Amino acid sequence: FRVLYHDPLGMYTGLRFSGSSKIYGANVFQTSERGYLEGVVISIGDVGGGYVDCTIRVYKNRSTPPRVGVDPPSYTLSTRVSSMGYYTLPFDSPVSLSAGESFVIVAELRPSGPGAYPLGIEYRIPGVSSNVTILPGESFVSPDGAMWEDLYNYYSSYGYGNFSLKALVSSYTMPPPSGGGGGCSSGEGSIAGLLLLLPLALTFLRRK
């Protein structure tokens, strides 16, 4: 497997939107060669003593986040997690990827209670995690899957890095499992505080 990622230092904190029962995170990746997306590794932050329902959607041939519920995904996977940590989610059928193709992986997280901070991200703290970096167009967040904010916009002021979600990609020469087209993925990225996502008028919070 090749692992595509934006978060070399991994999850440091978790995010949520106040005023919304869920949060969406998206990572944009690009393949260097032909292959199959076989699954993802996702970090889940504080679940608030309950559980988090997670839906993973893959969108091929895209370099920007989709409108969830309007743009059709190439693959969908749903699961439930009950604790903080990293989860490897294999796809039951791989998603084929062309050389140089950009694709987006979206995670929809629906916690069972209001005290959760489920979206795991990197966060820059001078002297502790100073190496956290982020580039425009890598990681995005949304309260509804339609209106997206680039986390890069909050790096300088808040230290926010990338969404900690990775894509697992196998070589094209490796025969895929039988079935339809699904896949695996990894990312690379870099996050802290509270901020206002205009024009959404929703407070974006991190776990202290």
Side-chain angles (χ1 to χ4, degrees):
F1 284 103
R2 288 175 290 124
V3 181
L4 308 181
Y5 63 95
H6 301 307
D7 61 315
L9 298 185
M11 175 178 64
Y12 186 88
T13 189
L15 299 179
R16 69 178 174 89
F17 281 101
S18 67
S20 178
S21 61
K22 54 190 172 183
I23 184 170
Y24 293 78
N27 273 354
V28 178
F29 300 109
Q30 185 176 38
T31 59
S32 60
E33 59 189 49
R34 200 172 177 185
Y36 295 97
L37 180 62
E38 302 281 355
V40 302
V41 178
I42 185 172
S43 64
I44 300 295
D46 190 344
V47 299
Y51 60 84
V52 174
D53 285 326
C54 174
T55 299
I56 301 294
R57 297 178 176 91
V58 178
Y59 297 84
K60 294 182 48 165
N61 298 305
R62 292 191 66 99
S63 57
T64 58
R67 296 166 298 166
V68 175
V70 177
D71 300 326
S74 300
Y75 183 84
T76 301
L77 175 153
S78 294
T79 190
R80 174 175 290 183
V81 300
S82 57
S83 62
M84 176 189 296
Y86 289 87
Y87 292 85
T88 299
L89 305 178
F91 294 171
D92 57 11
S93 55
V95 176
S96 62
L97 299 170
S98 302
E101 179 178 348
S102 294
F103 62 99
V104 181
I105 300 175
V106 174
E108 177 186 347
L109 304 178
R110 303 178 303 279
S112 60
Y117 293 78
L119 189 79
I121 61 169
E122 284 189 313
Y123 176 46
R124 186 175 70 87
I125 300 176
V128 178
S129 53
S130 301
N131 293 334
V132 167
T133 59
I134 185 171
L135 296 174
E138 291 181 336
S139 291
F140 299 80
V141 292
S142 171
D144 57 10
M147 301 180 68
W148 293 91
E149 276 286 327
D150 194 329
L151 280 173
Y152 172 79
N153 296 335
Y154 304 104
Y155 175 73
S156 296
S157 298
Y158 299 96
Y160 286 39
N162 288 89
F163 174 30
S164 186
L165 177 141
K166 310 178 193 300
L168 307 175
V169 179
S170 66
S171 169
Y172 176 69
T173 58
M174 179 179 177
S178 60
C184 68
S185 70
S186 75
E188 294 183 320
S190 334
I191 138 178
L194 71 83
L195 55 93
L196 193 64
L197 294 182
L198 297 176
L200 303 179
L202 289 171
T203 305
F204 190 44
L205 303 172
R206 77 171 178 93
R207 184 176 182 271
K208 303 294 186 182

